[in-house]
């Protein structure tokens, strides 16, 4: 009697990843579609020789969509969307390996691999002049106002000029890199009247100005390690006549009279003289005609 015995493969083995835990450091400026974890590093095996189906999820809120796998049967992990260090600096991915499709009603064995991603800040932004205001609460953009100052005609200041809204100062917004900044004047410096300290950004005078005029300086701030990362700020310097005396009022107290029921913009009259409008005048000894 010949007896033929056929061994049926029972689905009694769970898929196995070569590495259940993987860590990757990914630069912020990594190009989209770059492979983050190679296929062979995350391809699971199954002793039952079943086809493996993969699924990738993230455990960190607001970090989904940045990383993906090539397909249901191809677990290669790649960058799907451009990274932004200001939005998140790390995330944890879970890669599932199943021996049945997700939609299958049959008993399924599942293995899980954990991929920890740490984002490394890259040198992606030019220097910011301070103070500056972030645009629409977007921490990646900061808009600064022009600087302004004054110098007296025919007078040379030996100290750094006082500017508004503050001294010339720029920083590297990629704060984990925090490259050193150097300064130089690149425009508007007629006759080389002014100079800027390359390290501190202090603006000083090289010579006096003998005519009332104004200067519109262009000051460049450049990163030391990357000259392609630079910003330019405008500095307006007005040349004015020296003021030795403060203005003063002719009287210490002015008294006026108003009448009930008058419309807006009606005159206020001198107290005791309802026919003469009240006039407040100030004088300045620096100007004989004012």
């Amino acid at each position: 009697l010949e007896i033929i015995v056929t061994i049926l493969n029972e689905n009694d083995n769970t898929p196995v990843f070569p590495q259940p835990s993987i860590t990757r450091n990914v630069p912020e400026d990594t190009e989209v579609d770059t492979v983050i974890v190679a296929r062979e590093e995350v391809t699971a095996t199954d002793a039952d020789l079943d086809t493996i189906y993969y699924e990738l999820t993230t455990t960190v809120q607001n970090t989904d969509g940045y990383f993906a796998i090539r397909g249901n049967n191809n677990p290669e992990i790649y960058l799907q969307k451009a990274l932004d260090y200001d939005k998140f600096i790390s995330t944890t991915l879970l890669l599932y390996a199943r021996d049945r499709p997700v939609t299958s009603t049959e008993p399924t064995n599942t293995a899980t691999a954990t991929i920890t991603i740490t984002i490394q800040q890259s040198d992606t932004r030019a220097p910011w002049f301070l103070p500056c205001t972030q645009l629409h609460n977007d921490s990646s953009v900061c808009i600064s106002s022009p600087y302004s100052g004054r110098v007296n005609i025919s007078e040379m200041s030996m100290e750094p000029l006082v500017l508004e809204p503050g001294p010339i100062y720029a920083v590297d917004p990629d704060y984990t890199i925090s490259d050193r900044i150097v300064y130089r004047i690149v425009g508007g410096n007629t006759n080389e009247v002014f100079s800027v300290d390359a390290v501190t950004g202090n603006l000083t005078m090289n010579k006096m100005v003998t005519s009332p005029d104004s200067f519109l300086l262009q000051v460049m701030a450049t990163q030391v390690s990357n000259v392609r990362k630079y910003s330019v700020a405008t500095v307006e310097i007005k040349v004015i006549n020296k003021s030795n005396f403060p203005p003063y009022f002719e009287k210490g107290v002015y008294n006026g009279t108003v009448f009930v029921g008058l419309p807006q913009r009606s005159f206020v009259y001198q107290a005791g003289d309802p026919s003469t409008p009240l006039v407040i005048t100030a004088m300045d000894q620096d100007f004989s005609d004012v």
Side-chain angles (χ1 to χ4, degrees):
L1 179 64
E2 181 180 314
I3 301 175
I4 298 175
V5 178
T6 300
I7 308 299
L8 300 178
N9 188 15
E10 185 75 16
N11 185 21
D12 55 356
N13 290 286
T14 298
V16 178
F17 281 105
Q19 301 178 68
S21 181
I22 297 175
T23 300
R24 286 288 185 274
N25 295 323
V26 182
E28 178 187 12
D29 59 353
T30 299
E31 293 185 1
V32 171
D33 205 45
T34 299
V35 175
I36 305 301
V37 183
R39 181 174 184 173
E40 56 269 18
E41 294 184 77
V42 284
T43 296
T45 57
D46 188 346
D48 298 320
L49 303 180
D50 292 321
T51 300
I52 306 298
Y53 300 88
Y54 298 92
E55 180 187 7
L56 185 69
T57 64
T58 179
T59 63
V60 180
Q61 189 176 8
N62 298 325
T63 64
D64 55 315
Y66 286 90
F67 302 92
I69 56 176
R70 296 293 183 184
N72 291 335
N73 304 118
N74 184 351
E76 180 180 87
I77 300 175
Y78 69 98
L79 183 64
Q80 183 174 245
K81 187 167 65 173
L83 297 170
D84 187 341
Y85 188 84
D86 291 321
K87 292 184 177 178
F88 70 97
I89 61 175
S90 65
T91 187
T92 300
L93 308 175
L94 297 179
L95 180 63
Y96 298 99
R98 300 182 176 91
D99 55 12
R100 295 290 185 272
V102 176
T103 57
S104 176
T105 58
E106 299 180 40
T108 304
N109 296 310
T110 304
T112 305
T114 302
I115 299 93
T116 302
I117 303 290
T118 300
I119 311 302
Q120 296 177 324
Q121 190 172 39
S122 300
D123 191 8
T124 60
R125 293 177 290 191
W128 287 350
F129 281 97
L130 301 181
C132 65
T133 304
Q134 292 183 358
L135 188 63
H136 305 306
N137 295 322
D138 183 355
S139 59
S140 64
V141 179
C142 203
I143 306 299
S144 60
S145 300
Y147 296 94
S148 63
R150 297 182 297 178
V151 296
N152 294 324
I153 192 170
S154 301
E155 184 174 300
M156 180 172 169
S157 173
M158 305 305 296
E159 300 294 329
L161 302 184
V162 177
L163 303 176
E164 295 292 339
I168 298 173
Y169 181 62
V171 297
D172 181 0
D174 300 311
Y175 53 86
T176 63
I177 299 173
S178 193
D179 199 0
R180 189 163 62 88
I181 305 297
V182 292
Y183 308 89
R184 64 191 179 104
I185 299 175
V186 295
N189 193 14
T190 305
N191 297 325
E192 302 297 320
V193 172
F194 302 97
S195 62
V196 65
D197 188 286
V199 176
T200 65
N202 285 336
L203 189 66
T204 54
M205 297 185 69
N206 298 322
K207 60 184 74 171
M208 67 178 64
V209 184
T210 58
S211 61
D213 205 346
S214 63
F215 293 80
L216 204 60
L217 306 177
Q218 304 294 318
V219 177
M220 175 185 286
T222 308
Q223 293 180 203
V224 171
S225 64
N226 188 351
V227 295
R228 295 184 178 181
K229 291 291 188 298
Y230 68 89
S231 294
V232 177
T234 300
V235 183
E236 183 181 15
I237 303 297
K238 294 182 178 180
V239 182
I240 62 173
N241 292 313
K242 185 176 182 180
S243 177
N244 296 309
F245 303 97
Y248 63 93
F249 289 103
E250 288 185 313
K251 297 180 181 179
V253 178
Y254 289 84
N255 296 308
T257 300
V258 294
F259 299 97
V260 176
L262 290 177
Q264 292 183 358
R265 300 183 181 277
S266 295
F267 283 120
V268 176
Y269 293 92
Q270 293 184 17
D273 186 359
S275 63
T276 304
L278 178 64
V279 179
I280 299 174
T281 56
M283 306 292 289
D284 191 330
Q285 296 182 44
D286 291 310
F287 304 95
S288 57
D289 57 342
V290 178

